[in-house]
Amino acid sequence: MAQTPAAPAPNDASSGDSLSGKGRPTPTRAEREAARKRPLVADTKEAKARARAELQAQREKARQGMANGDPRYLPARDQGPQRKFVRDFVDGGWHLGEAVMPAMIVVILATFIPVAAVQFYSFVGLWIFILFVIGDMIITSIRAKAGVKERFGADRMEKGLGWYAAMRTIQMRFLRLPKPQVKRGRKP
């Protein structure tokens, strides 16, 4: 006797494991149109404030990354291992250029003294000091380029490293960006 296959059990509406249907009613046309409607430009104060806060957070993160020397946040002029070497080379030494601004403030204060000789000699002293600063910039530039040639090879040396080193020497140490990564007296 051949047995007939068992017929599948009818779908019971009360059981929770329904195989067909989506489990929710089809939205009406009005509901679908209302869901699609939104302003073309979000003019809400909350959206503007949120966007401003997000932009501020991104800028702060980028500023912190740049100050710490994170390569992802450095501008193009500061990127690369040779630039990092030059930054560390400059930051490891003492340079006269760091004292230019304080020297200028002293000269400005000396101009308020009503003695003509003090005013004259303060300006002469400032110009002599600036000549020494220029000499220090030239020497640092030459030494930095020589260090890059020694470490990375003369054929792989980037352009502008001497100027990069010279400009970094005249910045006061606490104002330099990226922040100095080496202490004074240490060479890279």
Side-chain angles (χ1 to χ4, degrees):
M1 235 188 197
Q3 291 186 350
T4 59
N11 247 349
D12 195 10
S14 64
S15 69
D17 56 352
S18 174
L19 298 175
S20 65
K22 58 187 179 233
R24 58 182 166 78
T26 302
T28 64
R29 182 175 184 167
E31 289 172 344
R32 288 183 284 153
E33 286 178 356
R36 277 197 316 256
K37 286 186 178 179
R38 61 181 186 275
L40 294 176
V41 178
D43 275 345
T44 63
K45 289 183 180 180
E46 299 87 24
K48 287 182 181 178
R50 192 177 332 108
R52 198 175 314 122
E54 288 173 6
L55 184 63
Q56 182 65 27
Q58 289 174 351
R59 285 181 179 165
E60 180 62 22
K61 185 178 178 184
R63 188 189 68 75
Q64 287 291 335
M66 184 175 153
N68 293 331
D70 188 351
R72 294 176 294 175
Y73 299 107
L74 290 177
R77 70 158 198 260
D78 293 326
Q79 290 182 351
Q82 293 183 15
R83 300 284 172 148
K84 180 171 179 16
F85 174 81
V86 170
R87 280 195 306 271
D88 292 344
F89 182 85
V90 171
D91 294 339
W94 291 89
H95 301 283
L96 293 174
E98 297 176 42
V100 169
M101 288 301 230
M104 288 184 177
I105 291 172
V106 168
V107 170
I108 289 171
L109 293 175
T111 60
F112 292 118
I113 299 173
V115 179
V118 171
Q119 294 174 354
F120 175 76
Y121 287 117
S122 66
F123 276 111
V124 170
L126 178 66
W127 282 108
I128 291 171
F129 180 70
I130 288 175
L131 290 176
F132 279 112
V133 168
I134 292 171
D136 181 44
M137 289 170 65
I138 292 169
I139 291 169
T140 303
S141 171
I142 292 168
R143 290 179 58 216
K145 288 194 294 189
V148 169
K149 282 181 187 176
E150 179 182 315
R151 177 169 282 184
F152 297 100
D155 56 330
R156 298 181 57 207
M157 192 167 129
E158 295 176 11
K159 291 185 178 184
L161 293 176
W163 183 254
Y164 185 71
M167 289 297 103
R168 194 155 172 99
T169 62
I170 60 173
Q171 296 172 348
M172 287 190 269
R173 186 174 172 90
F174 66 91
L175 293 176
R176 293 177 184 164
L177 278 178
K179 297 282 184 199
Q181 303 293 320
V182 297
K183 294 185 177 187
R184 291 189 196 266
R186 293 192 179 167
K187 294 295 177 187

